[in-house]
Amino acid sequence: MSITRRFPPIRPALVVTCCECGTATSAPVEVRYIERQSGPGFPLYACPGCAPSLVPGPHRNDAIRNR
Ligand SMILES: [Zn+2]
């Protein structure tokens, strides 16, 4: 058995830019989900330092209720 079969390559972690401070982070926290009419939506991520100070939501699985 070859070494590459025993130890297959590990995919790199998701590295995204924080929506608050703009730094790249490999430990992103999803804080918001932006819906778009023209296509699929996209999540906004924050770094672990900024995430507690941001108001969370809405996320992609949140139900929006009309009053
Ligand atoms: Zn940040």
Side-chain angles (χ1 to χ4, degrees), residues 6 8-9 22 27 33-34 36 38 40 43 52 54 56 58 60 66:
R6 278 186 184 255
Y33 187 76
I34 306 297
R36 293 189 301 179
S38 61
L54 296 173
R60 69 183 87 191
N66 294 328

Side-chain angles (χ1 to χ4, degrees), residues 19-20 29-33 44 46 50-59 62:
C19 66
E20 182 72 10
V29 179
E30 185 175 336
V31 292
R32 215 159 277 140
Y33 187 76
L44 286 181
C50 294
S53 64
L54 296 173
V55 177
H59 294 125
D62 287 348

Side-chain angles (χ1 to χ4, degrees), residues 18 20-23 46-47 50:
C18 175
E20 182 72 10
C21 66
T23 59
C47 67
C50 294

